[in-house]
Amino acid sequence: MNKTLRKAIIAGNWKMNKTRPEAKALITDLIGLVKDADCGVVICVPYTNLETALELTAGTNIEVGAENCHWAKSGAFTGEISADMLAEMGVGYVVIGHSERRQYFGETDLTVNQRVRAALDAGLKVILCVGELEAQREFGITEEIVGMQTKVALQGVSEQELKRIIIAYEPVWAIGTGKTATSAQANEVNHYIRTVVAKLYNTAAADALTIQYGGSMNAGNADELLAQEDVDGGLIGGASLKAADFATIVKAASK
Ligand code: PEP
């Protein structure tokens, strides 16, 4: 992390976990544990938990995000939620392009870009996920894949709007698998993403961009990953479901 240039942010991605009473218990524990954090703290929760999360975190240092949004403002898209609906509730962040959306729900770089545009237009902040498959890393094309995902997702995003974007580098082979990228691998790709953003915009914009690492980050490995110059926080899946583990990661980012 380089806190002189950019903000460190730890975001939890709860995925499809937690009923409302379970969410209430987790958030209640978390509030006390992360109240002195010296980094941004965000919890991205299922749609059914947004209202609970917003109510419980009001007046605390925890911000609330959703895990996806549709690109249209409204219409015949059964089962979808628009960015305007999230913004109206007071939701601050939305995760877009998570590899599970790409893998199971047909998300493409183009629809990721459309969703990013919709979220920005609604005034939301975006956690934009990019990352290569294991085979792509083995083929030596990690930079091409991650570079392409970044460039397409940021089409039509102005330098001013980029300030509301966080990029999360999430190697797909490391998500939910217990296999973590080494701190050197994470830093190398995060640094590469920053060079891509510098070319698209400029060095100052790239230096100010928060680029997280995500992929089996946990209470045991967070210190080392977050000590890397270009790792500005984490997007945390499994470990965000346990208050103590998530709080330990927040503490690591607060150093
Ligand atoms: C994620 O869901 O974005 C993630 C990184 O999951 P996990 O931490 O469980 O690998």
Side-chain angles (χ1 to χ4, degrees):
M1 293 179 294
N2 184 335
K3 287 189 175 175
T4 57
L5 288 174
R6 47 195 173 254
K7 192 171 180 191
I9 298 177
I10 299 296
N13 171 23
W14 288 12
K15 313 193 190 205
M16 194 175 73
N17 290 294
K18 303 292 177 189
T19 61
R20 285 187 303 163
E22 288 167 350
K24 193 173 176 190
L26 175 53
I27 295 168
T28 305
D29 286 350
L30 209 52
I31 289 171
L33 291 171
V34 303
K35 67 178 188 330
D36 298 322
D38 187 19
C39 66
V41 182
V42 183
I43 50 170
C44 299
V45 304
Y47 295 130
T48 49
N49 288 329
L50 286 171
E51 197 147 22
T52 306
L54 287 165
E55 273 168 26
L56 289 170
T57 59
T60 75
N61 59 337
I62 301 177
E63 292 177 271
V64 175
E67 299 176 12
N68 190 25
C69 69
H70 196 263
W71 57 82
K73 283 188 93 60
S74 62
F77 300 101
T78 302
E80 292 291 319
I81 302 280
S82 75
D84 284 348
M85 291 171 179
L86 299 175
E88 186 280 329
M89 290 183 79
V91 169
Y93 283 83
V94 61
V95 177
I96 294 181
H98 192 279
S99 65
E100 287 151 16
R101 301 292 319 169
R102 296 176 191 258
Q103 192 177 350
Y104 304 125
F105 303 101
E107 196 77 73
T108 66
D109 292 341
L110 289 176
T111 57
V112 167
N113 174 246
Q114 289 176 293
R115 291 179 207 265
V116 166
R117 276 265 29 110
L120 291 172
D121 288 344
L124 298 173
K125 293 180 200 155
V126 172
I127 301 178
L128 164 66
C129 302
V130 298
E132 82 287 3
L133 303 170
E134 188 154 39
Q136 291 166 335
R137 176 164 282 269
E138 280 163 10
F139 295 160
I141 56 169
T142 296
E143 290 190 350
E144 285 89 336
I145 294 294
V146 167
M148 183 179 67
Q149 291 173 340
T150 303
K151 284 183 190 167
V152 177
L154 294 179
Q155 277 298 309
V157 173
S158 70
E159 187 180 340
Q160 192 57 29
E161 288 171 327
L162 186 70
K163 295 181 182 151
R164 285 192 280 128
I165 297 216
I166 294 169
I167 295 183
Y169 165 55
E170 299 212 307
V172 180
W173 47 271
I175 297 178
T177 57
K179 277 192 211 171
T180 316
T182 63
S183 51
Q185 285 171 327
N187 196 55
E188 188 181 24
V189 182
N190 279 29
H191 181 74
Y192 176 72
I193 292 169
R194 206 177 301 286
T195 64
V196 170
V197 173
K199 279 193 198 135
L200 287 176
Y201 299 88
N202 55 62
T203 308
D207 280 347
L209 178 70
T210 297
I211 306 181
Q212 300 172 319
Y213 166 77
S216 300
M217 192 188 276
N218 58 43
N221 60 25
D223 261 331
E224 196 190 327
L225 286 160
L226 294 168
Q228 304 301 308
E229 166 81 13
D230 280 291
V231 178
D232 309 315
L235 182 57
I236 321 296
S240 71
L241 298 174
K242 292 185 187 136
D245 288 2
F246 190 67
T248 301
I249 299 170
V250 168
K251 268 202 191 95
S254 299
K255 287 180 187 158

